[in-house]
Amino acid sequence: MSEAKLKAPRGTHDLLPEQAPARARVEAAARAILEGAGYERIETPVFEATELFARGVGSSTDIVQKEMYTFEDGGGRSLTLRPEGTAPVCRAYVEHGMHKLRQPVKLWYLSSFFRYERAQAGRQRQFWQVGAEALGSQEPAVDAESIVLLAELLGELGISGGLRLRLSSLGSRESRADYGERLRAHLRAHEDELALEVVERIDLNPLRAFDSEHEGTRAVMASAPRLLDFLGVEDAEHFAEVRALLDAAGVAYEVDSTLVRGLDYYTRTVFEFTSTALGAQSGVGGGGRYDGLVEQLGGPATPGMGWAAGIERILLAGQLPASGARAVDLYIAFENDGMGPLEGAPAGLRRGDARAAFGVLSVARGAGLTAQMELAGRSLKNQLGQANKLGARYVAIVGAGESTLKDMQGGGQETIATDTVVHAVLRGLHDL
Ligand code: HAM
């Protein structure tokens, strides 16, 4: 009886070899752009104490209320697979005393995250983000630089068609508290026109009402007071400066006072890049300032600013190479009897050639060539077919003492001593 076939869990997917080149492009572009701007790589653990997200992301958010993969370990600790990267990076900043370093401390990551969401195209339960966080400065230039870097990355990856940058400011916690009261009053005055889930959140998180798709709610929100009109003087100045800097950098944006992000830690600047190439899940990447978060996690008062962009969404929206295996400089073939991996051949008869081939393989790789050797016991004829398929530049048919070296591009062929094969390939490749 055959066993039932197992599948990857819903909302997760395997990263197959043909997807690797496009992902490698994203990583290489992120590294070049972010490290060029002084960001350094950080990776935090896949799971953290549940409390980190409860405190950091906020108990009124969808993420904490219903999307976390939380479990108890053997020692009875409550742990959670990270749903996002900002709280963990702030935890690491505090834990490693990074406030003593030169500020701002700029960190980037490319990691997988986990949210129990309704799975659909562009929305997974395990997904990948590239993210950048700058901690320790409240200068508007940090906000602007951070946003410009994401714009640059998306541009570099060919995601420009249908791309919009929405920008807003949520002000400081104090100015938001005043505004929250006004918004609550407006919502309460129209309670019977609102979606039930919006009514339920009037006390906890009234801003989320701007996110609702519910028609009645949308009508009520059209006449709601806007946070941007109630910013304190310093918050308004900060926002004006961020905008002026983006203008100076030539980055186009739309001020959108209805922009709400799904995490509680934001203060002042918030932004989001959306792409029309993505359909319903249009957010490619977003972020903002989170000036109180480090303190909330037990650290010194430290401002912060950052963003994350979804790799799957970048790949959906961009035009990146689907495949493109690395070119093979040298394919190493050898004579065998074609009956499987040396099976059936009298012991010792062909092993000499196989061993010589293996020796050439090590020398070739040691010399920096991309080299592959026959590993599946194919006949010599099929090995040559294989070399062709791989687009090998040279093929060596290796014997214990002598080898035949074929130039697959130039068409020539020569018989040389086996221990000079790699040298000859290097000479040919570098036109020596
Ligand atoms: P976020 O908006 O929740 O922000 O996620 C950032 C990006 O991750 C989204 O724009 C989207 O591209 C991708 N993403 C989120 N959820 C999923 C999912 N279920 N499937 C596929 N892609 C997804 C944050 O996570 C913040 N930590 C960003 C930040 C950094 N703010 C300040 N610093």
Side-chain angles (χ1 to χ4, degrees):
M1 207 181 70
S2 67
E3 300 282 352
K5 234 196 286 176
L6 296 176
K7 285 184 164 180
R10 192 169 160 67
T12 71
H13 53 102
D14 298 306
L15 298 176
L16 296 172
E18 60 263 31
Q19 291 145 5
R23 297 179 71 94
R25 264 283 312 276
V26 176
E27 178 160 1
R31 171 171 287 116
I33 289 170
L34 293 170
E35 295 190 352
Y39 282 75
E40 293 174 296
R41 182 81 180 249
I42 186 168
E43 286 298 332
T44 59
V46 166
F47 55 81
E48 296 268 1
T50 302
E51 192 190 345
L52 172 65
F53 302 111
R55 251 155 77 179
V57 174
S59 51
S60 74
T61 60
D62 281 350
I63 293 180
V64 171
Q65 282 188 353
K66 48 188 185 200
E67 294 175 0
M68 297 211 298
Y69 283 95
T70 296
F71 60 97
E72 209 170 86
D73 74 0
R77 299 169 197 90
S78 178
L79 300 172
T80 291
L81 297 184
R82 58 185 174 195
E84 64 98 49
T86 310
V89 166
C90 290
R91 196 256 319 125
Y93 177 91
V94 176
E95 186 168 336
H96 302 287
M98 291 190 218
H99 62 280
K100 295 190 209 111
L101 304 176
R102 196 166 54 87
Q103 309 292 303
V105 172
K106 295 167 155 188
L107 303 165
W108 78 282
Y109 48 88
L110 195 159
S111 338
S112 58
F113 296 90
F114 307 85
R115 295 183 193 173
Y116 182 69
E117 293 199 76
R118 245 177 336 109
Q120 59 187 79
R123 190 160 72 193
Q124 278 87 34
R125 291 178 178 170
Q126 178 181 3
F127 56 98
W128 292 74
Q129 285 183 347
V130 53
E133 316 286 354
L135 290 134
S137 166
Q138 43 179 329
E139 285 301 311
V142 172
D143 307 43
E145 179 184 63
S146 168
I147 297 171
V148 168
L149 289 171
L150 180 53
E152 211 178 301
L153 177 62
L154 297 177
E156 172 71 25
L157 296 171
I159 308 164
S160 41
L163 196 68
R164 278 173 66 200
L165 167 56
R166 298 163 68 208
L167 180 73
S168 189
S169 173
L170 298 179
S172 60
R173 283 183 192 275
E174 300 77 57
S175 60
R176 197 151 77 228
D178 287 347
Y179 165 77
E181 280 319 310
R182 285 173 199 274
L183 183 59
R184 282 190 190 97
H186 178 78
L187 292 171
R188 287 211 186 87
H190 296 89
E191 216 172 293
D192 44 358
E193 297 154 59
L194 299 173
L196 185 63
E197 52 165 28
V198 173
V199 175
E200 280 170 351
R201 288 201 202 189
I202 292 182
D203 283 326
L204 207 53
N205 197 347
L207 269 172
R208 291 300 303 274
F210 282 110
D211 253 358
S212 175
E213 310 264 301
H214 177 258
E215 223 173 283
T217 306
R218 292 176 76 100
V220 172
M221 296 321 284
S223 63
R226 298 296 165 91
L227 179 46
L228 277 183
D229 299 326
F230 295 93
L231 291 183
V233 178
E234 284 178 19
D235 294 338
E237 274 173 9
H238 186 275
F239 189 49
E241 188 58 22
V242 172
R243 293 177 54 182
L245 292 170
L246 289 176
D247 291 338
V251 172
Y253 56 84
E254 298 157 33
V255 173
D256 183 347
S257 58
T258 68
L259 176 61
V260 193
R261 308 252 317 126
L263 305 108
D264 270 359
Y265 46 62
Y266 292 112
T267 55
R268 296 192 162 173
T269 312
V270 282
F271 73 98
E272 207 157 81
F273 281 92
T274 57
S275 165
T276 48
L278 284 178
Q281 301 307 313
S282 62
V284 187
R289 191 161 264 292
Y290 44 89
D291 288 348
L293 181 55
V294 170
E295 208 173 357
Q296 220 167 298
L297 298 177
T302 308
M305 166 77 203
W307 49 257
I311 304 288
E312 288 82 3
R313 295 196 193 167
I314 287 177
L315 295 177
L316 281 172
Q319 284 123 34
L320 292 165
S323 72
R326 224 181 129 185
V328 174
D329 298 325
L330 174 63
Y331 186 89
I332 300 162
F334 58 94
E335 187 89 54
N336 69 31
D337 58 11
M339 292 177 62
L342 302 174
E343 240 173 65
L349 186 66
R350 293 295 179 206
R351 297 237 182 246
D353 288 358
R355 286 172 195 170
F358 204 76
V360 173
L361 180 70
S362 322
V363 175
R365 289 184 179 160
L369 296 176
T370 52
Q372 291 195 31
M373 165 183 162
E374 171 55 25
L375 292 173
R378 290 181 183 82
S379 68
L380 185 57
K381 182 162 165 267
N382 287 342
Q383 290 179 51
L384 297 179
Q386 194 64 17
N388 245 332
K389 260 191 222 146
L390 290 169
R393 173 67 211 279
Y394 286 92
V395 176
I397 302 164
V398 172
E402 282 196 331
S403 299
T404 305
L405 184 64
K406 286 164 154 310
D407 179 343
M408 305 296 274
Q409 218 170 62
Q413 131 167 7
E414 54 181 336
T415 301
I416 54 177
T418 293
D419 57 9
T420 64
V421 165
V422 170
H423 189 67
V425 172
L426 285 169
R427 221 175 35 221
L429 282 177
H430 301 299
D431 232 359
L432 298 175

